[in-house]
Amino acid sequence: MVKTQMYSKELIHQLQARSRKRRDKLAELFGVGSGRRIGVLLNTQMEVIERKKWDEMRWERAPRGSRGPRGGGAVGEKEGGEEGKEVVGSEIFLKGTQSANPHNDYQQHFVDTGQRPQNFIRDVGIAERFEEYPKLKELIRLKDEQILQFATPPQYIAADLQTMPLRLTLKTDFDMVYIDPPLEEYERRAPGVFISKTWTWDEISNIKIDEITGNPSFVFLWCGSAEGLDEGRECLRKWGFRRCEDLCWIKTNKNKPGNTTYLEPKALFQHTKEHCLMGIKGTVRRSTDGHIIHANIDIDIIIDEEKPYGSTEKPEEIFKIMERFCLGRRRLHLFGSDANLRAGWVTVGPEVSANNYNAEQYLQYFRDSRLLPQRPDIETLRPKSPKSWTGGRGRGRGAGGGRGSRGRGRGGFRGGGGGN
């Protein structure tokens, strides 16, 4: 019995010694000073408790003249007279956080450093986003190739949209209208820097969008992050569109970390995003109208660096999303400028410096078709919705008969969900 107990104690000592060696090696690998502090990295509850006990014991044993604040002991401080190694990129997480897993406490990290949580989302660029999805990557390449192939030359008009008669000037209906108005919200963000004439939401709603859009057609309207979320929806309703999606630009600040330079008077949080409402006129069935829309290729979030102070420039990716979604080739950009003239678009605005638009010549580009042609390779790769069963007591959303006819919009495109 005595030998058994001695053997058990010896085995326990051996296991403890091995554990200490492993912890010391991990500590050396991750640069946390000593094996006793490896728990700071592993973030287990037991290790957090052990760390507190160890700090308390060291504080008690330290000479009175050299004691710091009770309960201190951050990674990288002196241990046993030697300077500990600093954990690069992690030490700041431990400053003031109450999280049980401080290394992932990105909100506290924002408080400490000004780096927004979205800065740490990986693979947000188009180049690296689809590396692990070769079929989707190939689909995006084929779509962009086709869009460029059938794009009309850039068309542009320098005009004041408050006085310009849209229908008389453009003389056609458009499949897609992109609106980026100079909102009053932008001037509030950068007083004295924003030099464009701002538009009220009443003025924006008075633009005759309904006179220059076909059926079906789509509108993409930037509305900021304040009152525009409500006012933008009212504009869509007035123009004869219903809101079906809300695209969101999540703004990173990797290049210039810090708190938001402007806080909305009624805001409870710092705004680091901006919204673009999408509206639809008419009915488009996702399961049968693949010649008009290709849904579910892109997501409704854009993660991109915030533009310089006072700039109202938007990420270029919004154009990619619109072009890949709608196969209509008649595209209109209102409130554009010389900086965003683009093949396949008619750009109109007071910040455009020249004119080259000729309505008769423009219509000649669509003699054969106003839509992009369907390609078998793209049709094979793109996501699709199953066609609804229309016989008998079909329950499919948007089915033509029976109960299915009670589906939202009678099978029309309403945004979200599976799509063509």
Side-chain angles (χ1 to χ4, degrees):
M1 177 67 106
V2 175
K3 288 184 178 180
T4 303
Q5 291 177 348
M6 291 177 60
Y7 176 76
S8 299
K9 289 182 179 179
E10 184 179 353
L11 180 61
I12 291 173
H13 289 316
Q14 290 177 355
L15 294 174
Q16 289 175 341
R18 291 178 187 174
S19 177
R20 282 194 294 270
K21 288 182 180 179
R22 286 196 298 268
R23 292 161 65 88
D24 288 339
K25 287 182 179 179
L26 286 172
E28 183 180 357
L29 177 64
F30 291 107
V32 292
S34 73
R36 291 181 178 274
R37 292 204 167 274
I38 194 64
V40 176
L41 194 66
L42 299 179
N43 293 308
T44 60
Q45 187 64 29
M46 187 63 69
E47 294 289 354
V48 172
I49 296 173
E50 184 179 338
R51 175 168 61 86
K52 291 181 179 179
K53 290 181 179 179
W54 175 252
D55 290 338
E56 185 71 20
M57 181 177 68
R58 283 201 305 117
W59 189 88
E60 291 287 350
R61 292 182 179 180
R64 291 184 179 274
S66 62
R67 290 179 180 177
R70 190 166 194 138
V75 177
E77 68 179 0
K78 292 183 179 180
E79 285 191 25
E82 296 183 1
E83 187 72 22
K85 295 181 180 180
E86 181 181 0
V87 184
V88 179
S90 297
E91 179 178 356
I92 195 68
F93 283 99
L94 304 177
K95 187 168 67 175
T97 181
Q98 301 299 314
S99 171
N101 190 8
H103 295 278
N104 289 332
D105 191 347
Y106 291 105
Q107 298 294 349
Q108 182 64 40
H109 188 55
F110 171 67
V111 173
D112 293 337
T113 69
Q115 290 273 2
R116 295 172 183 169
Q118 55 263 37
N119 291 359
F120 301 95
I121 301 176
R122 301 186 307 170
D123 302 334
V124 298
I126 291 293
E128 61 271 9
R129 185 182 305 169
F130 304 112
E131 284 300 320
E132 297 181 9
Y133 306 93
K135 289 185 178 180
L136 189 53
K137 183 178 181 180
E138 178 64 8
L139 172 62
I140 296 297
R141 186 189 70 79
L142 293 174
K143 288 280 295 180
D144 290 347
E145 178 185 90
Q146 184 192 41
I147 291 166
L148 183 60
Q149 178 186 354
F150 287 90
T152 60
Q155 309 287 309
Y156 38 90
I157 305 173
D160 182 355
L161 288 168
Q162 286 186 321
T163 58
M164 173 186 175
L166 286 177
R167 184 68 195 184
L168 290 176
T169 304
L170 299 172
K171 299 180 181 178
T172 186
D173 290 334
F174 288 85
D175 305 304
M176 187 160 52
V177 180
Y178 173 57
I179 308 173
D180 185 11
L183 304 175
E184 292 178 318
E185 177 184 340
Y186 298 158
E187 187 176 41
R188 295 199 301 268
R189 289 183 199 168
V193 177
F194 185 73
I195 58 175
S196 298
K197 176 189 177 301
T198 59
W199 281 54
T200 67
W201 280 105
D202 286 339
E203 291 172 331
I204 296 169
S205 68
N206 287 331
I207 301 175
K208 305 298 184 181
I209 301 298
D210 53 322
E211 296 182 358
I212 55 169
T213 47
N215 188 345
S217 58
F218 305 91
V219 163
F220 291 80
L221 171 64
W222 283 103
C223 59
S225 60
E227 69 276 2
L229 290 171
D230 294 324
E231 299 289 351
R233 285 167 167 80
E234 289 298 324
C235 287
L236 294 181
R237 279 192 284 268
K238 183 174 180 179
W239 297 333
F241 290 77
R242 63 179 182 276
R243 189 205 67 83
C244 58
E245 289 291 351
D246 181 350
L247 284 74
C248 191
W249 170 23
I250 308 296
K251 302 177 182 180
T252 59
N253 65 343
K254 297 177 183 178
N255 298 333
K256 192 176 181 181
N259 290 334
T260 303
T261 54
Y262 169 74
L263 298 177
E264 282 287 334
K266 298 181 180 180
L268 301 179
F269 304 102
Q270 293 194 31
H271 290 179
T272 63
K273 59 180 175 49
E274 196 162 335
H275 297 263
C276 179
L277 300 179
M278 172 186 165
I280 180 174
K281 179 195 285 189
T283 298
V284 179
R285 292 179 173 82
R286 292 171 294 185
S287 59
T288 59
D289 291 332
H291 62 292
I292 300 175
I293 61 168
H294 284 176
N296 287 353
I297 292 178
D298 290 285
I299 61 174
D300 58 357
I301 289 178
I302 300 171
I303 301 176
D304 193 50
E305 188 72 5
E306 187 171 30
K307 305 306 177 184
Y309 183 72
S311 172
T312 62
E313 182 185 356
K314 304 302 189 298
E316 184 186 3
E317 188 175 347
I318 186 66
F319 286 100
K320 298 285 189 180
I321 291 174
M322 293 186 292
E323 291 167 352
R324 288 194 285 256
F325 168 73
C326 177
L327 275 64
R329 297 165 55 220
R330 301 174 301 182
R331 310 182 188 107
L332 175 65
H333 179 187
L334 297 182
F335 297 101
S337 66
D338 291 339
N340 44 40
L341 301 181
R342 188 178 181 87
W345 290 79
V346 177
T347 305
V348 182
E351 295 186 13
V352 176
S353 59
N355 295 273
N356 77 339
Y357 181 79
N358 181 286
E360 289 72 22
Q361 181 182 352
Y362 182 69
L363 292 175
Q364 291 299 310
Y365 293 123
F366 312 104
R367 288 193 308 265
D368 298 329
S369 176
R370 63 181 178 84
L371 302 173
L372 290 171
Q374 291 185 289
R375 285 176 43 171
D377 49 357
I378 292 178
E379 290 301 307
T380 300
L381 291 172
R382 73 179 181 85
K384 305 177 187 68
S385 294
K387 294 184 179 181
S388 301
W389 180 57
T390 58
R393 297 169 60 82
R395 294 175 179 266
R397 189 174 166 187
R403 294 183 180 179
S405 61
R406 297 181 182 178
R408 264 179 80 188
R410 301 179 66 85
F413 180 82
R414 303 290 292 193
N420 226 3

